[in-house]
Amino acid sequence: DAKTTQPTSMDCAEGRAANLPCNHSTISGNEYVYWYRQIHSQGPQYIIHGLKNNETNEMASLIITEDRKSSTLILPHATLRDTAVYYCIVRPPTGTASKLTFGTGTRLQVTL
Amino acid sequence: NAGVTQTPKFRVLKTGQSMTLLCAQDMNHEYMYWYRQDPGMGLRLIHYSVGEGTTAKGEVPDGYNVSRLKKQNFLLGLESAAPSQTSVYFCASSYEGQGKFHEQYFGPGTRLTVT
């Protein structure tokens, strides 16, 4: 699986957009980008995933660059409850030993 | 739907003791996983199972055994606990179908301390 690089920590003011970058320069053509988050001491929670098109759901948006070497997770209106560690994960599609490889992620602190 | 549940939530063991962690899911998922998370680290895969009666090693399998006798349950065993196994253990499950993505659902975790 391709490795990912994320900033260790970020701050964001409540109500503003949080933009979390991820570098995955060695991504293969069939590998997806997934985002999970882990709120303090809880189990990780799925947020969104994508292959090459931008994606949006009720939680967030995912912007993937045209060369697919990096992506950005966007939380449009961050709240205090979005304070968490965010993991960017790259892996092949399902049906192929569907293991998730977690790095150390980005610790997002949302402040008043 | 309870989702993924883990038993127990907390446990303290002495070095050399054994114990079994239980994971249960009520979503009829084929795949189940055991991860461990050490302080300040990401999750690391211990073992996983792609169906009832099957198990496979993950990234850090040494010192652990698993069993999947029933589809809804995935057991993680520590035969002789060591202080290095002090960690938070997370179980997850997912449905896997060819050409389709299905997210992994995680349990609340078991905090294990080995003294």
Side-chain angles (χ1 to χ4, degrees):
Chain A
D1 295 355
K3 289 190 65 175
T4 62
T5 304
Q6 300 176 251
T8 303
S9 63
M10 296 182 64
D11 292 329
C12 179
E14 189 176 34
R16 306 297 293 268
N19 298 291
L20 291 87
C22 180
N23 182 287
H24 32 80
S25 58
T26 59
I27 192 170
S28 299
N30 69 338
E31 289 182 317
Y32 284 67
V33 179
Y34 301 83
W35 284 84
Y36 280 73
R37 73 179 182 183
Q38 186 174 24
I39 297 172
H40 179 64
S41 297
Q42 298 179 19
Q45 174 191 26
Y46 164 80
I47 302 174
I48 198 167
H49 77 284
L51 181 62
K52 55 184 177 182
N53 297 320
N54 298 337
E55 303 288 345
T56 296
N57 63 20
E58 64 278 4
M59 290 182 67
S61 295
L62 175 61
I63 309 297
I64 302 174
T65 58
E66 193 169 341
D67 63 7
R68 302 210 323 122
K69 294 184 177 182
S70 65
S71 60
T72 301
L73 178 74
I74 300 172
L75 308 178
H77 305 287
T79 71
L80 297 177
R81 287 178 294 180
D82 292 321
T83 292
V85 178
Y86 288 78
Y87 297 99
C88 170
I89 299 166
V90 172
R91 49 157 273 200
T94 59
T96 54
S98 312
K99 303 183 289 288
L100 294 175
T101 300
F102 288 82
T104 52
T106 296
R107 185 173 297 277
L108 175 68
Q109 180 69 51
V110 181
T111 57
L112 291 171
Chain B
N1 258 4
V4 179
T5 58
Q6 294 183 231
T7 308
K9 289 185 170 53
F10 303 92
R11 185 73 186 268
V12 178
L13 287 179
K14 293 185 177 179
T15 298
Q17 288 184 320
S18 63
M19 78 164 293
T20 300
L21 283 67
L22 170 64
C23 176
Q25 53 94 4
D26 60 2
M27 296 173 282
N28 202 33
H29 285 166
E30 290 291 334
Y31 282 36
M32 296 187 74
Y33 316 79
W34 275 108
Y35 294 87
R36 62 176 287 175
Q37 185 174 34
D38 300 326
M41 305 287 288
L43 280 72
R44 292 183 293 169
L45 184 66
I46 305 171
H47 286 280
Y48 65 101
S49 168
V50 301
E52 183 178 321
T54 70
T55 62
K57 294 180 179 180
E59 182 185 354
V60 288
D62 294 342
Y64 305 95
N65 57 73
V66 288
S67 64
R68 183 98 181 268
L69 298 180
K70 293 183 179 181
K71 185 177 184 179
Q72 63 269 32
N73 296 337
F74 195 28
L75 305 179
L76 178 71
L78 286 74
E79 290 186 347
S80 180
S84 61
Q85 294 177 304
T86 293
S87 190
V88 180
Y89 292 84
F90 289 101
C91 176
S93 71
S94 65
Y95 169 76
E96 299 289 337
Q98 278 291 355
K100 291 186 178 180
F101 165 77
H102 293 274
E103 68 198 80
Q104 288 192 16
Y105 292 82
F106 284 81
T110 294
R111 190 173 298 274
L112 175 66
T113 301
V114 182
T115 61

